[in-house]
Structure formats: structure tokens, C-alpha cells
């Protein structure tokens, strides 16, 4: 009687476990047969009531059946574990997807690239220098005498340092001297770079900004060369004919010095609110390299002539892209960046 029961329990299990589709239902099948109150367990529990002869016979059969069930269970469990659980893996294809944000180039980068493209085509070399500068390169070598009020033109971040006085460079001009120490004229270079001013920020002033410097040195470089190159550059940059206007000014490292204006890019010189009806926009500083700077760089006095100019990249980008507040550039606001 029990023999047949054992056989039917075994075949019952072997049939049912095959149909289980996941580990949970497989486990339920197992419990049904060999769990604490499982059908086979019941038989095993009753063994003690049987005669020695029967106990041996039934016991062997029942234990064999249990081992077989356990084995089949383990094998199936492994199989199910390796299998993809479609219930869990189900995806709702109608759900909105995750948006992949695509970056874009910062307007300062765009302007840099454009500047580098135009100047490379005119045979200029692109040179860079450190953002943390010594007092010597940032000021003294550029003919800013120690304690001279000209230093106040540039509000400086001084950096504590054990040896030399260090500053976060206030302009890209120190690269002039750094370059000249290593090279002999003639040469023409441009220097793009980040600069810092200890500035109370507003729509027109930022503490961290970018500049661009040009330096051309040779035996008889003159202001006319500067005007020509500047006109070529601004015309290429704005994609229309631009003019240049020089006004006398002062920088310790140039003599004579100028502020220079370009044709208003908005109204092409006709007069508008941006240029306050002047038709011109102030853009940067320029001048013939002061002989003291050549001497600081190790050149003989009065042997060479050169011009230098410099201006803010953000200012130029603001004109080109009609940006109304310089603080956008360092804001890290993607809504701003994505417009370019
Ligand atoms: N370095 C000057 C500034 O930042 C600009 C300048 C560069 C002026 C080169 C003259 C020549 O204000």
C-alpha cells in the first residue's frame, strides 16, 4: 500500500515540479511533498509504527524517493535561476525614456577657436602661460614699478607664497616676457588665457575672465601693422568689414599706448543703443612694446620694435552673441550654454 503511495508521490512530484515557472512555485511543490507536513514526510513519520521488516523496505523506498525529489528540485532550481525571469524583466515600452543630455561648447571656447583659426591663417603661433604668476612676470618685468599706482589699474588677487610674491595673473601680458626670454625676433604670437581680477562683480565685471593677447616683434614693426592685422581679424571674426580706431591711453608696458575701438558690430557704425550712438565699441588695449620690457626679457635696448594688444574674450563674445551680462559665462547654467 505504502509502496504504491510512494511511487505515486514520486511521479506526482516529478510531474508537477516540471511545470513550475519560477523558484517560488517550485518551492511550493517541494513543500507539498517533502515539507514538514508533506505527503512523503507523513509516510516517513509513520515508519516507526511498522514492523522491522516493513520499516526497512518502506524506509529505503521513501528515503530514495526523497533523495530523488531533492535532487530534481535542486536541478530545477538551478535551471530557473539561470533563466531570465520574464516577469521581472518586463519593461513598459510606453514609459518615457531617460533623456541623454548632450553637452555643447562654451561661447568662450567658440570665440577662442575662431580667434585661433583666424590668427593661425595669418601665421601666428599660439602660446600659453601659467595662471598663477610671479609678481615679476605679472607686473615688474612689464614695467610696473614697485609701489607705482599703475598697479592699482588691476585689482589683484595676491597669493601667499613662501618665496616670491605670487598673484593670480591679472592679464595675459606676462606671457610676452616669458616667451621673449626663450625666443629671438622676429615672431608673432597670440596668447589666449584665463585671468583674474579682484572685482566687485556686476553685469560688466567678473572676477574670472578670459583674455587674448597678441604680440608681434621684429626690426621695424609699427602701429600701421597693428591696425591692419586688427582690421583683418575683426572683419573675419564678425564676418563683415570692420574698422579700428585708436585713442591715446596709458599702459606701463607699451609706449605709446592706445585704447582701441572697433566699428559697432550691432549697427555697423550707424549708431544704436549698444554703442550709445557713437558707432564705435571700446574693445581693448594696445601699444608699441616699451623698450624696458624688451630689456627685462633680455633683449638689447632699441634693437627691436613690436606691438602688443589685449582684450577680454567675454566682451567680444557678448558683442558677437548679444549677451547682456558677463556673469552668465561663469554661471555654469546649462540654459545659457545650450544656446550656442
Ligand atoms: N594687459 C592689458 C590689460 O589687461 C591690455 C593690453 C595688452 C594693453 C597689450 C596693451 C598691450 O588691461
Amino acid at each position: 500500500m505504502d509502496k504504491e503511495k510512494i511511487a505515486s508521490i514520486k511521479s506526482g512530484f516529478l510531474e508537477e515540479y516540471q511545470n513550475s515557472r519560477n523558484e517560488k512555485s517550485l518551492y511550493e511543490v517541494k513543500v507539498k511533498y517533502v515539507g514538514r507536513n508533506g505527503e512523503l514526510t507523513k509516510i516517513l513519520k509513520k515508519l516507526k509504527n511498522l514492523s522491522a521488516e516493513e520499516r526497512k523496505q518502506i524506509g529505503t523506498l521513501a528515503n530514495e524517493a526523497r533523495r530523488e525529489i531533492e535532487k530534481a528540485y535542486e536541478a530545477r532550481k538551478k535551471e530557473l535561476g539561470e533563466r531570465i525571469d520574464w516577469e521581472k524583466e518586463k519593461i513598459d515600452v510606453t514609459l518615457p525614456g531617460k533623456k541623454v543630455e548632450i553637452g555643447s561648447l562654451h561661447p568662450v571656447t567658440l570665440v577662442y577657436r575662431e580667434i585661433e583659426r583666424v590668427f593661425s591663417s595669418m601665421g601666428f603661433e599660439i602660446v600659453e602661460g601659467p595662471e598663477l604668476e610671479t609678481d615679476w612676470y605679472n607686473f615688474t618685468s612689464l614695467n610696473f614699478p614697485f609701489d607705482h599706482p599703475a598697479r592699482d589699474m588691476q585689482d589683484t588677487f595676491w597669493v601667499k607664497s613662501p618665496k616670491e610674491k605670487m598673484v593670480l595673473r591679472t592679464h595675459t601680458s606676462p606671457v610676452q616676457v616669458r616667451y621673449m626670454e626663450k625666443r629671438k625676433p622676429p615672431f608673432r604670437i597670440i596668447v589666449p588665457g584665463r585671468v583674474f581680477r579682484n572685482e566687485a562683480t556686476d553685469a560688466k565685471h567678473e572676477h574670472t575672465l578670459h583674455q587674448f593677447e597678441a604680440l608681434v616683434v621684429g626690426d621695424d614693426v609699427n602701429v600701421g601693422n597693428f591696425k591692419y592685422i586688427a582690421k583683418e581679424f575683426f572683419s573675419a571674426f564678425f564676418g563683415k568689414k570692420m574698422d579700428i580706431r585708436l585713442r591715446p591711453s596709458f599702459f606701463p608696458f607699451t609706449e605709446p599706448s592706445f585704447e582701441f575701438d572697433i566699428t559697432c558690430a550691432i549697427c555697423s557704425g550707424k549708431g544704436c543703443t549698444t554703442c550709445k550712438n557713437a558707432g564705435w565699441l571700446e574693445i581693448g588695449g594696445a601699444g608699441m612694446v616699451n623698450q624696458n620690457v624688451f630689456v627685462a626679457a633680455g633683449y638689447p635696448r632699441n634693437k627691436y620694435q613690436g606691438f602688443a594688444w589685449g582684450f577680454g574674450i567675454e566682451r567680444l563674445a557678448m558683442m558677437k552673441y548679444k549677451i547682456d551680462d558677463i556673469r552668465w559665462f561663469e554661471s555654469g547654467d546649462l540654459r545659457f550654454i545650450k544656446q550656442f
Side-chain angles (χ1 to χ4, degrees), residues 116-117 119-120 124-128 188-192:
E116 289 172 2
R117 187 185 67 77
F119 276 92
S120 299
F124 279 69
E125 186 187 341
I126 301 162
V127 179
E128 286 182 2
R188 35 197 152 157
I189 61 168
I190 55 166
V191 185

Side-chain angles (χ1 to χ4, degrees), residues 98-118:
K98 269 193 200 136
K99 203 167 161 197
V100 180
E101 294 279 354
I102 297 177
S104 52
L105 293 176
H106 193 281
V108 167
T109 307
L110 293 174
V111 171
Y112 267 170
R113 289 193 177 181
E114 184 61 7
I115 289 175
E116 289 172 2
R117 187 185 67 77
V118 177

Side-chain angles (χ1 to χ4, degrees), residues 41-52 54-56 58-59:
T41 315
K42 276 186 206 147
I43 291 178
L44 284 162
K45 273 185 188 163
K46 281 195 297 189
L47 279 180
K48 58 180 186 299
N49 305 329
L50 301 176
S51 68
E54 273 179 317
R55 199 188 306 156
K56 199 177 161 206
I58 306 292

Side-chain angles (χ1 to χ4, degrees), residues 153-154 170-173 176 197 211-214 251 253-254 257-258 284-287 307-311:
M153 284 164 76
Q154 304 184 348
T170 55
H171 51 175
T172 41
S173 302
Q176 291 186 21
R197 300 276 172 106
Q211 273 194 350
F212 153 82
E213 187 100 2
F251 297 101
F253 40 96
T254 45
S257 300
F258 316 101
F307 71 76
W309 67 338
F311 57 78

Side-chain angles (χ1 to χ4, degrees), residues 22-203:
N22 55 46
E23 288 183 35
K24 191 168 168 263
S25 70
L26 176 67
Y27 184 71
E28 279 161 12
V29 177
K30 181 184 158 182
V31 169
K32 182 174 161 199
Y33 291 93
V34 294
R36 205 184 309 161
N37 294 311
E39 294 183 30
L40 192 65
T41 315
K42 276 186 206 147
I43 291 178
L44 284 162
K45 273 185 188 163
K46 281 195 297 189
L47 279 180
K48 58 180 186 299
N49 305 329
L50 301 176
S51 68
E53 176 82 3
E54 273 179 317
R55 199 188 306 156
K56 199 177 161 206
Q57 225 185 18
I58 306 292
T60 310
L61 277 176
N63 276 315
E64 243 172 46
R66 191 172 62 179
R67 270 196 297 276
E68 229 175 293
I69 288 172
E70 295 280 2
K71 218 171 115 190
Y73 167 79
E74 289 302 332
R76 178 76 179 155
K77 189 175 155 191
K78 188 161 172 253
E79 192 180 302
L80 287 175
E82 283 162 5
R83 208 186 255 197
I84 295 167
D85 182 345
W86 292 110
E87 265 315 302
K88 267 198 230 148
E89 294 297 318
K90 210 155 71 177
I91 49 166
D92 183 351
V93 294
T94 64
L95 281 175
K98 269 193 200 136
K99 203 167 161 197
V100 180
E101 294 279 354
I102 297 177
S104 52
L105 293 176
H106 193 281
V108 167
T109 307
L110 293 174
V111 171
Y112 267 170
R113 289 193 177 181
E114 184 61 7
I115 289 175
E116 289 172 2
R117 187 185 67 77
V118 177
F119 276 92
S120 299
S121 76
M122 292 196 278
F124 279 69
E125 186 187 341
I126 301 162
V127 179
E128 286 182 2
E131 291 174 1
L132 184 60
E133 259 306 358
T134 57
D135 173 276
W136 166 257
Y137 285 113
N138 197 81
F139 290 125
T140 310
S141 69
L142 291 171
N143 199 34
F144 285 83
F146 184 68
D147 271 350
H148 191 278
R151 292 192 183 210
D152 297 342
M153 284 164 76
Q154 304 184 348
D155 300 299
T156 310
F157 286 115
W158 293 93
V159 179
K160 268 195 197 141
S161 51
K163 281 195 220 133
E164 243 173 312
K165 270 164 100 182
M166 303 290 280
V167 298
L168 287 178
R169 67 175 175 192
T170 55
H171 51 175
T172 41
S173 302
V175 187
Q176 291 186 21
V177 179
R178 283 186 175 274
Y179 183 86
M180 289 194 286
E181 280 174 341
K182 284 189 246 127
R183 302 294 188 88
K184 289 268 158 288
F187 60 76
R188 35 197 152 157
I189 61 168
I190 55 166
V191 185
R194 184 168 15 219
V195 304
F196 309 87
R197 300 276 172 106
N198 188 358
E199 202 87 72
T201 58
D202 61 30

